[in-house]
């Protein structure tokens, strides 16, 4: 490890380090903590988004090549969710186009690997100085996808500005979908993140609560946003042409199981 200058005051700035290489994560985390930073870590895109929403870091050091959602996608989602945390890309993607893409999306700096720890920390401090770390900064607690809005502080939810009453588990489930909008989520993955079952959990919980959630957010008054991909999982996204055919097939399946619904179809 390079010889770093003695720690200077960073007013307990909190940094989220995101890289799929655990060696890089460990190196950066150790060095940043030595310099007085608080550090959170993630090794893939979805976890990075989840951590960013939960801990609200003062800055993010972000790789581009990540599993699940790449670094550009992570930054794009943060900005869409109105989270304007400073982002420093630290990546092996070193083409001019990559740099332009990262900075155009809203990154505050872009460093390529291999890197100098001293330079990374110096640039991080420069970013924090520009953003006034330590001053009271407004931080949004709102998550938005399409016309769905969630307030993480008040736990209030609305669809098309109409309040929706959700149970605590339904709120957590919807929050997980909104954070991972556009990503296919398997039942097991949902079970792990919403119910904290690492393995062996009953995926029937997922099916049941997806059904509850749909009754409240995907009503007849709104376009369907929560979709089932048979044999794969679920995804929160805008409707696509094939969804109408899939929805019709689901209705016919329900009629076959429950003839009393035939008249409504």
């Amino acid at each position: 490890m390079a010889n770093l200058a003695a720690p200077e005051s960073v007013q307990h700035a909190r940094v989220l380090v995101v890289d799929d290489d655990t060696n890089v994560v460990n190196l950066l985390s150790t060095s940043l903590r030595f310099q007085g930073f608080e550090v959170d870590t993630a090794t893939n895109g979805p976890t990075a988004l989840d951590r960013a929403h939960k801990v609200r870091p003062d800055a993010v050091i972000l790789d581009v090549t990540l599993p699940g959602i790449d670094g550009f996608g992570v930054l794009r989602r943060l900005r869409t969710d109105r989270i304007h945390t400073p982002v420093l890309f630290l990546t092996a993607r070193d083409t001019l186009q990559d740099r332009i893409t990262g900075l155009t999306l809203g990154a505050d700096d872009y460093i390529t690997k291999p890197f100098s720890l001293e330079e990374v920390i110096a640039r991080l401090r420069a970013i924090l100085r520009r953003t006034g770390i330590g001053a009271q900064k407004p931080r949004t607690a709102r998550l938005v996808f399409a016309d769905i809005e969630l307030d993480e502080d008040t736990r209030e939810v609305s669809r098309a500005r109409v309040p929706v009453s959700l149970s605590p588990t339904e709120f957590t489930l919807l929050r997980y979908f909104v954070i991972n909008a556009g990503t296919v989520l398997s039942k097991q993955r949902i079970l792990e993140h919403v119910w904290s079952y690492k393995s062996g959990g009953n995926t029937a919980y997922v099916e049941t609560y997806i059904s509850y959630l749909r009754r409240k957010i995907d009503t007849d008054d709104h376009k369907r946003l929560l979709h089932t991909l048979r044999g794969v999982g679920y995804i929160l996204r805008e409707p696509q042409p094939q969804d109408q055919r899939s929805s019709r097939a689901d209705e016919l399946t329900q009629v076959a199981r429950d003839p009393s619904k035939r008249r409504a179809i």
Side-chain angles (χ1 to χ4, degrees):
M1 184 185 299
N3 291 324
L4 299 175
E8 69 178 54
S9 173
V10 290
Q11 301 184 28
H12 303 291
R14 190 164 193 167
V15 179
L16 175 61
V17 175
V18 186
D19 199 298
D20 63 338
D21 186 334
T22 56
N23 291 326
V24 172
V25 170
N26 292 336
L27 177 63
L28 287 170
S29 299
T30 300
S31 301
L32 288 168
R33 289 188 179 109
F34 173 75
Q35 293 293 314
F37 293 89
E38 296 178 30
V39 181
D40 295 278
T41 64
T43 56
N44 59 68
T47 301
L49 285 171
D50 191 50
R51 296 298 294 163
H53 282 91
K54 282 182 178 178
V55 306
R56 300 304 173 97
D58 297 297
V60 180
I61 297 178
L62 182 63
D63 190 12
V64 174
T65 307
L66 296 170
I69 305 173
D70 70 13
F72 293 149
V74 169
L75 177 55
R76 191 177 290 111
R77 280 308 311 272
L78 290 176
R79 298 304 184 244
T80 298
D81 292 342
R82 302 183 185 182
I83 294 179
H84 298 290
T85 302
V87 171
L88 186 160
F89 274 115
L90 181 61
T91 176
R93 296 272 291 270
D94 58 358
T95 69
L96 176 60
Q97 187 56 52
D98 286 329
R99 293 170 186 264
I100 291 172
T101 298
L103 295 171
T104 300
L105 286 172
D108 296 80
D109 207 341
Y110 196 107
I111 301 176
T112 58
K113 299 175 181 176
F115 60 91
S116 158
L117 279 172
E118 290 178 305
E119 180 184 9
V120 171
I121 292 174
R123 291 200 185 194
L124 176 62
R125 284 203 176 104
I127 290 171
L128 293 173
R129 284 195 299 271
R130 290 199 300 269
T131 56
I133 182 61
Q136 285 296 111
K137 303 185 294 296
R139 295 189 179 191
T140 179
R142 223 164 46 102
L143 300 178
V144 179
F145 176 76
D147 57 357
I148 295 175
E149 295 188 17
L150 294 84
D151 190 306
E152 294 190 282
D153 287 341
T154 65
R155 311 286 284 186
E156 293 175 341
V157 177
S158 65
R159 174 106 200 245
R161 299 187 178 182
V162 176
V164 179
S165 178
L166 298 182
S167 71
T169 301
E170 290 166 351
F171 181 92
T172 302
L173 180 60
L174 179 59
R175 176 185 178 280
Y176 189 58
F177 272 112
V178 171
I179 288 174
N180 293 282
T183 300
V184 179
L185 303 174
S186 68
K187 292 178 185 177
Q188 186 59 45
R189 181 170 165 186
I190 295 170
L191 197 63
E192 291 176 3
H193 285 81
V194 177
W195 282 270
S196 299
Y197 288 127
K198 295 304 180 186
S199 62
N202 188 348
T203 56
Y205 291 150
V206 177
E207 296 171 7
T208 299
Y209 275 89
I210 290 287
S211 176
Y212 293 161
L213 198 55
R214 277 182 168 147
R215 292 174 195 171
K216 295 183 177 182
I217 67 164
D218 276 345
T219 64
D220 293 338
D221 297 330
H222 303 292
K223 59 187 177 183
R224 181 175 292 185
L225 295 176
L226 187 53
H227 306 277
T228 302
L229 300 183
R230 295 186 180 280
V232 181
Y234 304 94
I235 184 171
L236 186 72
R237 60 165 165 74
E238 294 281 0
Q240 297 180 0
Q242 66 267 27
D243 295 331
Q244 187 173 4
R245 296 192 296 271
S246 176
S247 176
R248 180 62 177 169
D250 288 343
E251 290 174 344
L252 293 175
T253 299
Q254 292 176 8
V255 168
R257 293 175 177 173
D258 185 358
S260 66
K261 297 181 180 179
R262 182 174 292 116
R263 185 172 296 177
I265 300 281

